[in-house]
Amino acid sequence: MSYRVIALDLDGTLLTPRKTILPESIEALAHAQQAGVKVIIVTGRHHCAIHPFYQALELDTPAICCNGTYLYDYHAEKVLSSDPLAKNQALRVIEMLDEKAIHGLLYVDDAMLYQTPTGHVTRTLNWAESLPEHQRPAFIQVPSLAQAARDAESIWKFALSHSDTRALQQFADSVEQELGLACEWSWHDQVDIAQRGNSKGKRLAQWVESVGLSMSDVLAFGDNYNDLSMLESVGLGVAMANADDAIKARAKRVIGTNLEPGIAETIYKEVL
């Protein structure tokens, strides 16, 4: 079967550990686009943090960001559809974070905000500094996350990281029980908090339908728990070898790691 859409997670999937795209992947995806296949990024990242990858792939599709919280049109520089957090929800999450001494990033409007530097923050800052200035994301330290949330027009998600993953899981459970929000693991030590009902799979299905296609037309690649809603609902959901065993067990196919050319090989086999 020849698929008509290729949906790609970024971190741990399309991107190597050094946050680069393999040349084999770039070439295969270019050939796919030349053949009329639509290529779309479906990521947990903020839209301001995917510029270099969007441009490297020369895409003309919108991007699905923050685990399906919103659909962003890069060419028009605007949000097409979204389901953000309410201010009262965000402010309560911040109160709970302060109570448990857990730090996180707040994704709003066109920027990522933090109050206290953490390992995740430092890694992101170092990555941003390595980019050309026009591709650097807006990554800003603020004196108060609560005030930043009050000032924001749209609150996309929280990205929480903690060395004690058990404590992080307990916090996520508390947020889900008290506020009814969605908490998804997007990295081995990172939990994302967003509006319940948002998922990569749901937003992808909405966009695919809007272009006159169905999810059976989609070939998708992912590596983490926030990718499952996408991998399990498309025509062919492919997990990377570096994914947890639980992810690989629920995907329709498993390929090599994000350091190997498995994405390109699958595209040539299934699409071109």
Side-chain angles (χ1 to χ4, degrees), residues 239-262:
M240 310 303 291
N242 46 281
D244 285 352
D245 288 342
I247 308 300
K248 291 185 280 191
R250 292 168 65 176
K252 295 183 178 72
R253 184 178 300 174
V254 179
I255 58 174
T257 72
N258 56 337
L259 282 169
E260 301 171 277

Side-chain angles (χ1 to χ4, degrees), residues 6-262:
I6 299 171
L8 296 151
D9 169 56
L10 289 177
D11 295 283
T13 302
L14 182 66
L15 303 185
T16 70
R18 295 177 63 85
K19 308 304 179 189
T20 59
I21 305 175
L22 294 175
E24 295 93 338
S25 296
I26 292 177
E27 183 179 11
L29 289 164
H31 288 159
Q33 291 185 86
Q34 290 163 9
V37 177
K38 297 182 182 297
V39 176
I40 184 168
I41 289 174
V42 187
T43 181
R45 288 182 177 235
H46 193 294
H47 70 266
C48 73
I50 62 177
H51 282 290
F53 318 120
Y54 190 90
Q55 291 164 3
L57 298 176
E58 299 182 353
L59 300 180
D60 59 3
T61 51
I64 294 172
C65 303
C66 289
N67 300 324
T69 294
Y70 65 104
L71 182 69
Y72 186 79
D73 185 328
Y74 266 97
H75 299 281
E77 297 185 345
K78 68 177 183 179
V79 173
L80 300 177
S81 60
S82 67
D83 293 287
L85 289 164
K87 287 190 189 295
N88 65 310
Q89 293 173 318
L91 290 170
R92 178 55 186 148
V93 170
I94 293 168
E95 288 179 356
M96 296 170 73
L97 288 170
D98 290 342
E99 291 166 5
K100 298 297 182 181
I102 294 176
H103 304 298
L105 285 166
L106 179 62
Y107 289 46
V108 303
D109 302 324
D110 296 310
M112 298 176 290
L113 312 177
Y114 67 97
Q115 187 171 323
T116 304
T118 63
H120 179 217
V121 168
T122 301
R123 290 192 300 271
T124 307
L125 277 170
N126 290 339
W127 169 74
E129 287 298 316
S130 72
L131 298 173
E133 189 170 349
H134 71 281
Q135 291 184 337
R136 289 177 190 168
F139 198 59
I140 304 166
Q141 185 170 20
V142 296
S144 167
L145 278 186
Q147 188 57 50
R150 294 187 190 99
D151 294 340
E153 182 176 335
S154 297
I155 302 170
W156 306 129
K157 76 167 187 176
F158 289 88
L160 313 181
S161 59
H162 200 283
S163 58
D164 185 344
T165 54
R166 185 174 181 181
L168 198 55
Q169 181 64 65
Q170 290 172 343
F171 184 84
D173 291 343
S174 297
V175 169
E176 288 183 333
Q177 291 167 12
E178 179 180 332
L179 298 175
L181 299 177
C183 298
E184 290 189 304
W185 290 86
S186 59
W187 204 244
H188 64 89
D189 63 350
Q190 182 176 312
V191 168
D192 293 343
I193 300 175
Q195 192 62 263
R196 179 172 293 281
N198 290 336
S199 71
K200 290 185 175 186
K202 179 180 178 181
R203 191 70 65 183
L204 177 61
Q206 291 173 349
W207 177 77
V208 167
E209 183 180 354
S210 76
V211 295
L213 299 171
S214 70
M215 289 292 269
S216 62
D217 296 315
V218 181
L219 166 63
F221 298 89
D223 77 304
N224 223 312
Y225 291 90
N226 60 339
D227 295 313
L228 283 173
S229 62
M230 172 173 71
L231 297 180
E232 294 186 318
S233 60
V234 298
L236 179 58
V238 180
M240 310 303 291
N242 46 281
D244 285 352
D245 288 342
I247 308 300
K248 291 185 280 191
R250 292 168 65 176
K252 295 183 178 72
R253 184 178 300 174
V254 179
I255 58 174
T257 72
N258 56 337
L259 282 169
E260 301 171 277

